[in-house]
Amino acid sequence: MKKDARSSLNYPIIVVPLAIEFSCITLWLMDSWIKYPLFILEVMTIILLFLIVNNYELKISMRWAVKLKNIPAGMMIDLTLIFSSLTLLIAHILQASLGLTQLILSLLCTSLLSGYALLHTLGIRQYFSTLETVVLSYVASYILTAFTTFAALLLPEAMRISLILSIFLGLGISSILKHRKSKTHPTRRRSFAKNIDLLAITLALVFYTLSFCFIYPGFALLPGTDISRHYASSIVLWRTPSLYVGSVYLFAHLHEAMFINLSNPSVALAQTSLLTLNLMLPLAFYIMTKPYLERIDPRLPSLATI
């Protein structure tokens, strides 16, 4: 961690006890065990805000990273998509259950990997930063899964999953072929305005994760909530499309219906798994604010995200 020379090095030492003292109000106000993780999170937030406002920077070293010279990272993602879709296809044909592995592979195929393969096959992946690619891969996967599920509804129920997994498999193969043909790419944009922004995004993700852990999976089992209604609508849309009542959440129901039938989980596990996709929200907010706010001040994207 380094800082401009104009700031005193004693400031970080002073801000830590001040952050702890100020955050003790949380311990005094609340009468629940949840106050302890919130106290730690509040201290971390105050310290991080101080570092960002005072223009500290984070030095990131990539010496620990394992480099695969002959296999690009993008090709590894495509291979993962092929492996995941092929595994799910074999499990579907054999009517076998893979448990948690099936759920993870289903979530990756429908919500991340297929979108990356689509972006690369269309030749537009190279124009985005790594962080932008992660978010756009989710968006593209979401849309692709919804459209393919909508088209598959015209087929008998027994053929739908095989069709969609075959599309994912073909998309992964075409993306790998695209990798083999393309050798050079233009320079991509940086993911962060400043390296310390990585800590800001991590803090936001930690807050989201803590919230999910405190609320779920019990909330998914409560009757009459939005999440239970969406789950029911997704089931109806897949099993009996003629009985499905038109909704502005059609894409969400198509995506959820495909995920549920690919992974075959319990209600609580399905809802909790889909909930993890909300971790894309802080990332999406950051990449939307970065192009505009960094022109004014490179500290603003991370402050806005927090």
Side-chain angles (χ1 to χ4, degrees), residues 20 55 76 80 89 129 145 205 215 226 259 266 279-280 289:
I20 294 175
N55 213 25
M76 293 295 296
T80 305
L89 184 58
S129 67
T145 300
L205 294 177
I215 297 174
D226 284 342
F259 168 72
S266 63
L279 294 175
M280 289 291 173
T289 59

Side-chain angles (χ1 to χ4, degrees), residues 112-237:
L112 195 62
L113 301 179
S114 58
Y116 175 86
L118 179 62
L119 293 177
H120 187 261
T121 302
L122 295 177
I124 58 178
R125 151 71 183 100
Q126 55 192 350
Y127 301 111
F128 304 117
S129 67
T130 301
L131 189 62
E132 290 170 338
T133 301
V134 172
V135 176
L136 292 176
S137 294
Y138 162 67
V139 175
S141 297
Y142 184 87
I143 296 173
L144 176 65
T145 300
F147 272 116
T148 52
T149 305
F150 185 78
L153 292 179
L154 301 175
L155 301 174
E157 187 174 350
M159 300 176 57
R160 296 172 189 170
I161 293 180
S162 299
L163 172 65
I164 295 175
L165 289 175
S166 299
I167 293 175
F168 289 161
L169 184 61
L171 194 59
I173 294 174
S174 64
S175 183
I176 282 186
L177 295 177
K178 183 87 172 181
H179 274 292
R180 296 189 64 180
K181 292 180 180 179
S182 58
K183 299 297 182 181
T184 58
H185 299 288
T187 304
R188 287 175 289 182
R189 295 184 294 179
R190 292 183 58 194
S191 294
F192 305 107
K194 299 184 66 178
N195 291 336
I196 200 171
D197 294 359
L198 176 61
L199 295 181
I201 293 177
T202 302
L203 182 66
L205 294 177
V206 169
F207 177 76
Y208 270 63
T209 303
L210 286 176
S211 301
F212 298 158
C213 292
F214 295 151
I215 297 174
Y216 289 82
F219 184 73
L221 302 177
L222 294 178
T225 59
D226 284 342
I227 191 171
S228 61
R229 284 195 294 268
H230 290 314
Y231 181 87
S233 298
S234 301
I235 297 297
V236 171
L237 179 60

